[in-house]
Amino acid sequence: MEETMTAAKNRIKTFKTIQSEVESTNRVALSVDCVIFGFDENKLKVLLIRSDLKQYQGQWSLLGDLVEPNEGLDEAAYRILKQRTGLNDLFLEQVHTFGEVERHPASRVVTVAYCSLINIQHHKLKILDNELHWHDIDSVSEMAFDHKEIFDTSYSQLQKRVREHPLGFSLLPNKFSLRELQNLYEAILNIKLDRRNFRKKFFAMDFLIDMDEVETDVPHRPGRLYRFDYAKYEKSTKKWNGIAF
Amino acid sequence: MEETMTAAKNRIKTFKTIQSEVESTNRVALSVDCVIFGFDENKLKVLLIRSDLKQYQGQWSLLGDLVEPNEGLDEAAYRILKQRTGLNDLFLEQVHTFGEVERHPASRVVTVAYCSLINIQHHKLKILDNELHWHDIDSVSEMAFDHKEIFDTSYSQLQKRVREHPLGFSLLPNKFSLRELQNLYEAILNIKLDRRNFRKKFFAMDFLIDMDEVETDVPHRPGRLYRFDYAKYEKSTKKWNGIAF
DNA sequence: AATTTAAAGTGTAAAAATTACACAATAATT
DNA sequence: AATTATTGTGTAATTTTTACACTTTAAATT
C-alpha cells in the first residue's frame, strides 16, 4: 500500500482488522424469551415457567434460553417453543429486543422477545413440566428479571396485531363458534363488542368456512361451527385495512 | 440442603451457577444500525455511509457501531446518531434485531436496527464526513452486509408508522406548506394523494398552526405556512385512528 | 308435553368517514 | 396586460361504522 493514502482510503479496514476489532470487543450473552399466548375458558392466557434462579424463587418468568452459537434468532425461538410445547407449526414473531445493561443480575444478557399464539386444546398434553403454568392475562403482575416489561410490550403488540390481521384464529380450536371468536377478541382487546356488528364484519371478510355442524353440550341453542380459511386469507391480495371494532 | 430434594427444588440454580452458566456461554458481538430518513427536494432520502470494510469496498452501509459494555441499546443508538449527525433531539425507534449466524463475515455480530427521522435542513451542516451521503430511497440497491434487508424492513415500518401517527412532520422544516407536507406523504408512501382530501384531513386533525406567513421565491401563488403543534398532539387523548388515505 | 332458560341468529336506519371531482383566486413572470 | 403555475375551496355519492330488539332453537326443567 502507498504511504500517501487519502483519509478516505485510510478508513478502509481489511478483513483481519475488522475481525480482530470484532473479536476483541466486549461481547454479550444472547437469549430469546417467548411470550406464548393461549386462550381457554374464555380467558386469554400466557404460558409462564417458575424462575429457576434462586434469587427470583417463586416468581414467574417467560420461556427463554440462551441462543446457541450456530443458531439464528428465529431458529432459537422455534427451538425453545418446540422444546417447551412440543409444536412448531405456529405463528411466531419477533417483538422487541431488551438490552438494558443491568437487566440480568449475573451478567450482561441481551434478550430478543418473541411472541406466539397457541391453541391450548391442541397443546395441553405437551405440558408435562409442572413448573409451567397458564396464567390469566390480568393476573400477571410481578415477574423475574424484566419479564413483566417484556410481557407488557408483547401484549400491547398482540392487541395491535390482532386489529391488523385475523391472527386470533390460531388461538382457537379448528372448529369454533362465532361466540368463541368474539369472546377471544373481547379477551385480547379487553373491550366489549356488539354481537351483530362483529358477525357482520367477520362474514364480510369471507374467510370463514361453515362446517355445517353445531356445538354440542351447550344448555341452549347451539351455535354453528366454522373454520378459518387460511389458504384463502394467504392468497387474498386485496389490501387489508385491519379490523376496526 | 436435604438429600431428598424434589425435582422442583433440584432445578433451582444459585446465583453462582447461573453466573458461570452465562459466563461460559457463547457470546456474541452486539451492534446497532441506524436507518436515518430525511426529506429534501421532494424526495425521501436515507443517510448511508461508505462501508469501511475492504470486502464491501464501494458499497454503502447503514450508520452502525458496536454497543459499548455499559451502554443500553437505545443509548447506543442515540450515541451513534449524535456522533454522525450532531443532534439527539429526535424520534428514534427500535425496528428489529437481525441475528443470522453468517450475517457478518468476520464473526457473529447481532445487530439491533433503529429508525430515525431527521430534518435535513437542520442537520445538513453536521455532515462533515464526506463518506456520508443522502440517497434517494428508490436508488438504494445493493448494500454491505444484510443492510439492504435492514433498510427494507425499516422503510416498511416507516410507511406503516406514518399511517398510524403524524410523524412525518419531523422530516420537514418547522414551517412548511401543505404542498410540502403532501409531497412528503406521497414520497414516503409512494402513492398519489388527492389534494383537497389531504388538506381536509390534516385540518380536521387540528394539529396545524397557521403561521400567517406565505412561501417566498415561488414563481406562482405562494402557499400558506404552518407548523405542527407537537404539544397539542402529545396531549391529545382522543383515540388516534391513524391516517387513512 | 309444556314451560323455562340461555344464547343464536338476523336487518335496518343513522352517523361518520372516505372518495371523487372542477373552478376561481393569487403572485410572479413575461 | 396577459400568461403561467399553483393555491385554496365545497359538495354529493359511496362506503364504513355504529346503535339497537325481536324471533328462533335446543336443552333442561317442570
Side-chain angles (χ1 to χ4, degrees):
Chain A
M1 284 203 252
E2 296 184 68
E3 291 291 297
T4 57
M5 297 174 183
T6 64
K9 275 182 185 163
N10 252 333
R11 57 187 282 291
I12 298 298
K13 295 165 181 170
T14 62
F15 183 78
K16 279 209 187 320
T17 313
I18 284 280
Q19 192 165 39
S20 71
E21 224 176 82
V22 173
E23 294 293 349
S24 69
T25 193
N26 188 280
R27 297 166 88 80
V28 302
L30 188 65
S31 68
V32 160
D33 282 298
C34 295
V35 185
I36 304 184
F37 292 100
F39 185 68
D40 200 24
E41 296 165 335
N42 287 340
K43 295 250 189 191
L44 185 62
K45 312 266 184 172
V46 63
L47 189 59
L48 302 180
I49 188 168
R50 242 182 257 280
S51 178
D52 59 359
L53 185 48
K54 194 165 188 182
Q55 174 167 4
Y56 290 123
Q57 208 155 17
Q59 291 189 45
W60 295 93
S61 62
L62 299 170
L63 297 171
D65 200 0
L66 293 164
V67 176
E68 301 282 344
N70 283 300
E71 192 177 48
L73 302 177
D74 294 359
E75 209 181 328
Y78 278 108
R79 170 178 58 80
I80 291 165
L81 206 49
K82 177 147 194 176
Q83 283 174 353
R84 303 301 225 277
T85 69
L87 269 220
N88 52 5
D89 178 23
L90 37 71
F91 169 82
L92 189 53
E93 190 184 19
Q94 193 190 113
V95 175
H96 194 85
T97 297
F98 296 82
E100 288 306 306
V101 177
E102 305 287 351
R103 62 171 293 283
H104 192 292
S107 173
R108 178 125 196 220
V109 182
V110 171
T111 199
V112 185
Y114 279 79
C115 171
S116 176
L117 307 178
I118 80 169
N119 176 328
I120 295 184
Q121 277 73 40
H122 284 181
H123 298 75
K124 64 165 56 137
L125 298 177
K126 312 283 181 167
I127 299 171
L128 303 169
D129 185 343
N130 62 9
E131 298 295 330
L132 273 172
H133 186 251
W134 285 107
H135 289 251
D136 283 6
I137 286 298
D138 46 24
S139 76
V140 176
S141 54
E142 203 184 14
M143 290 177 73
F145 308 98
D146 55 355
H147 286 192
K148 180 60 162 60
E149 185 190 352
I150 299 178
F151 163 76
D152 288 340
T153 302
S154 300
Y155 181 36
S156 296
Q157 172 151 324
L158 171 63
Q159 292 188 318
K160 201 174 154 192
R161 289 283 185 278
V162 105
R163 286 175 180 272
E164 294 166 346
H165 302 282
L167 304 171
F169 298 101
S170 49
L171 291 162
L172 291 175
N174 286 343
K175 298 176 190 176
F176 51 85
S177 68
L178 278 179
R179 162 57 53 190
E180 287 176 287
L181 184 59
Q182 184 173 342
N183 284 342
L184 172 62
Y185 274 86
E186 292 183 339
I188 294 177
L189 298 175
N190 200 27
I191 53 176
K192 276 283 165 202
L193 297 170
D194 178 272
R195 194 155 52 94
R196 273 180 292 188
N197 293 336
F198 182 85
R199 299 167 74 91
K200 208 188 308 178
K201 185 152 298 193
F202 276 87
F203 286 134
M205 261 192 232
D206 208 26
F207 296 132
L208 294 181
I209 299 172
D210 190 330
M211 301 300 283
D212 260 315
E213 291 175 65
V214 293
E215 292 174 294
T216 52
D217 298 325
V218 287
H220 54 76
R221 177 173 178 179
R224 298 184 73 79
L225 296 177
Y226 299 86
R227 67 183 175 83
F228 184 69
D229 192 340
Y230 285 97
K232 192 167 179 183
Y233 171 65
E234 293 300 339
K235 273 189 294 185
S236 85
T237 86
K238 136 173 185 296
K239 80 164 177 175
W240 183 258
N241 283 324
I243 308 167
F245 289 110
Chain B
M1 286 204 248
E2 297 185 67
E3 291 291 296
T4 56
M5 295 175 184
T6 63
K9 275 183 184 162
N10 251 333
R11 56 187 281 291
I12 299 297
K13 296 164 181 169
T14 62
F15 183 78
K16 279 207 187 318
T17 314
I18 284 281
Q19 192 165 40
S20 72
E21 225 176 80
V22 173
E23 293 294 350
S24 69
T25 192
N26 187 281
R27 296 167 88 80
V28 303
L30 188 66
S31 67
V32 160
D33 283 299
C34 295
V35 185
I36 303 183
F37 292 100
F39 185 68
D40 199 23
E41 295 165 337
N42 287 340
K43 295 250 188 190
L44 185 63
K45 313 267 184 173
V46 62
L47 188 59
L48 302 180
I49 187 168
R50 242 181 256 280
S51 178
D52 59 358
L53 186 47
K54 195 166 188 182
Q55 173 167 5
Y56 289 123
Q57 207 153 18
Q59 291 189 45
W60 295 93
S61 63
L62 299 170
L63 297 172
D65 200 359
L66 293 165
V67 176
E68 302 283 344
N70 283 301
E71 191 177 46
L73 302 176
D74 294 358
E75 207 182 329
Y78 278 107
R79 170 178 58 81
I80 291 165
L81 205 51
K82 177 146 194 179
Q83 283 174 353
R84 302 304 225 278
T85 68
L87 268 221
N88 53 4
D89 178 21
L90 37 72
F91 169 83
L92 189 53
E93 188 183 20
Q94 193 189 114
V95 174
H96 195 84
T97 296
F98 296 82
E100 288 305 307
V101 177
E102 305 286 352
R103 62 170 295 282
H104 192 291
S107 173
R108 178 121 196 225
V109 182
V110 171
T111 198
V112 185
Y114 279 80
C115 172
S116 177
L117 307 178
I118 79 170
N119 177 328
I120 294 184
Q121 277 74 41
H122 284 180
H123 298 73
K124 63 166 54 138
L125 297 178
K126 312 284 180 166
I127 300 171
L128 303 168
D129 184 342
N130 61 8
E131 299 295 331
L132 272 173
H133 186 250
W134 285 107
H135 289 252
D136 282 6
I137 286 298
D138 47 23
S139 75
V140 175
S141 53
E142 204 184 14
M143 291 178 72
F145 309 98
D146 55 355
H147 285 192
K148 180 60 160 63
E149 185 191 351
I150 298 178
F151 163 75
D152 287 341
T153 302
S154 300
Y155 181 34
S156 296
Q157 172 151 325
L158 171 62
Q159 292 188 319
K160 202 174 153 193
R161 288 284 185 278
V162 104
R163 287 176 178 271
E164 294 166 348
H165 302 282
L167 304 171
F169 298 100
S170 49
L171 291 161
L172 291 175
N174 286 343
K175 298 176 191 177
F176 51 85
S177 68
L178 278 179
R179 162 56 54 191
E180 287 176 288
L181 184 60
Q182 183 172 342
N183 285 341
L184 172 62
Y185 274 88
E186 291 183 339
I188 294 178
L189 298 175
N190 200 29
I191 52 177
K192 276 283 164 202
L193 298 170
D194 179 272
R195 193 158 53 94
R196 272 181 291 188
N197 293 337
F198 182 85
R199 299 168 74 91
K200 208 188 308 179
K201 184 152 300 195
F202 276 87
F203 286 135
M205 260 193 233
D206 208 25
F207 295 133
L208 295 181
I209 298 171
D210 190 330
M211 301 300 284
D212 261 316
E213 292 175 62
V214 292
E215 292 174 295
T216 52
D217 298 326
V218 287
H220 54 76
R221 177 174 177 178
R224 298 184 73 79
L225 296 177
Y226 299 85
R227 67 182 175 84
F228 184 68
D229 192 340
Y230 286 97
K232 191 167 180 182
Y233 170 65
E234 294 301 341
K235 273 189 292 186
S236 86
T237 84
K238 136 172 186 296
K239 80 165 177 177
W240 182 256
N241 283 322
I243 307 168
F245 289 109

